[in-house]
């Protein structure tokens, strides 16, 4: 009777080891997934800060200059479009990320046109509030870059973890996440006309 207990005990121990190992793999995948979600939240926070600053910048420019209405309208419309695009980090697709990136590129483009146009207004350039907002926007753009970089680093860690063998044997419910990519044409220099 004791002879069959030893093989059964070995099998039970082996099954327990495999079960705890797979639980550890799934728990680690969950941590990586949560890190990606957190970093995406940081990206959205940085963009939200920029959108908030744009509202203040537009109001300062409106109040300080007889300004080109079309430029201000373009900034306001781009900001509205950018805030309407949402991405769920747990189910992010390359298409969603591309749409989000295009909307944010529209904000960057219209904001650049606004700042270039401001050069024609010496009183606005000397306005203390405007200068402070301009510095805040530059700082925010750096925060956006940092947030996107950290997001891509967390996606790299997540994708590397879920795709390697033997982890992928236990993680079929986890899907590869896309990286945040530069918008089309970002590799070309910006043409500034006065």
């Amino acid at each position: 009777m004791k002879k069959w207990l030893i093989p059964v005990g070995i099998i039970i121990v082996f099954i327990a080891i495999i079960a705890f190992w797979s639980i550890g793999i799934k728990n680690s995948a969950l941590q990586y997934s949560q890190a990606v979600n957190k970093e995406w939240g940081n990206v959205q926070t940085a963009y939200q800060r920029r959108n908030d600053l744009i509202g203040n910048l537009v109001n300062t420019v409106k109040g300080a200059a007889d300004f080109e209405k079309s430029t201000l309208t373009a900034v306001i419309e781009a900001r509205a479009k950018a805030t309407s695009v949402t991405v769920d980090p747990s189910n992010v697709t390359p298409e969603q990320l591309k749409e989000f990136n295009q909307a944010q590129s529209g904000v960057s483009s219209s904001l650049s046109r606004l700042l270039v146009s401001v050069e024609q207004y010496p009183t606005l350039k000397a306005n203390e509030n405007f200068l402070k907002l301009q510095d805040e926007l530059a700082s925010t753009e750096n925060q956006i870059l940092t947030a996107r970089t950290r997001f891509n680093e967390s996606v790299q860690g997540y994708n590397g973890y879920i795709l390697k063998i033997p982890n992928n044997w236990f993680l079929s419910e986890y899907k590869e996440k896309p990286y945040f990519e530069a918008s089309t044409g970002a590799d070309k220099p910006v043409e500034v006309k006065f």
Side-chain angles (χ1 to χ4, degrees):
M1 187 153 159
K2 289 184 179 182
K3 291 181 184 179
W4 64 271
L5 283 177
I6 293 175
V8 168
I10 291 172
I11 292 171
I12 290 172
V13 168
F14 182 72
I15 290 172
I17 289 171
I18 296 293
F20 284 116
W21 182 51
S22 69
I23 288 170
I25 288 173
K26 288 185 183 240
N27 285 339
S28 293
L30 180 63
Q31 287 176 327
Y32 280 109
S33 180
Q34 290 302 308
V36 170
N37 293 350
K38 178 190 141 248
E39 294 302 337
W40 181 250
N42 291 342
V43 169
Q44 289 181 309
T45 299
Y47 278 118
Q48 182 62 50
R49 181 173 192 262
R50 178 173 74 175
N51 288 334
D52 293 344
L53 287 172
I54 287 171
N56 293 333
L57 181 70
V58 167
N59 289 333
T60 301
V61 171
K62 271 185 192 175
D66 177 20
F67 206 71
E68 299 173 31
K69 194 171 187 174
S70 63
T71 304
L72 288 174
T73 303
V75 171
I76 293 166
E77 287 174 357
R79 177 181 172 226
K81 183 178 179 185
T83 57
S84 70
V85 177
T86 58
V87 174
D88 176 11
S90 60
N91 294 320
V92 67
T93 64
E95 294 78 24
Q96 287 175 326
L97 213 48
K98 184 177 181 180
E99 181 183 359
F100 180 84
N101 199 18
Q102 286 175 336
Q104 294 302 331
S105 294
V107 173
S108 296
S109 175
S110 61
L111 190 56
S112 295
R113 286 193 306 273
L114 173 68
L115 295 175
V116 166
S117 299
V118 162
E119 295 295 321
Q120 300 170 10
Y121 295 88
T123 57
L124 184 58
K125 288 195 303 187
N127 181 309
E128 192 175 309
N129 288 336
F130 177 77
L131 293 174
K132 184 176 178 195
L133 284 168
Q134 203 171 12
D135 286 345
E136 287 290 324
L137 277 169
S139 170
T140 300
E141 291 299 325
N142 287 334
Q143 288 177 357
I144 289 170
L145 171 64
T146 301
R148 290 190 309 207
T149 301
R150 288 181 179 160
F151 172 76
N152 280 347
E153 288 170 354
S154 67
V155 167
Q156 178 187 18
Y158 168 83
N159 286 346
Y161 186 80
I162 67 155
L163 294 175
K164 71 180 178 182
I165 295 174
N167 296 357
N168 62 356
W169 298 340
F170 300 100
L171 300 173
S172 60
E173 69 272 17
Y174 287 87
K175 304 297 178 213
E176 186 175 4
K177 296 187 188 253
Y179 289 95
F180 200 105
E181 296 178 359
S183 56
T184 306
D187 56 334
K188 295 177 177 51
V190 176
E191 184 178 330
V192 178
K193 295 180 182 177
F194 292 97

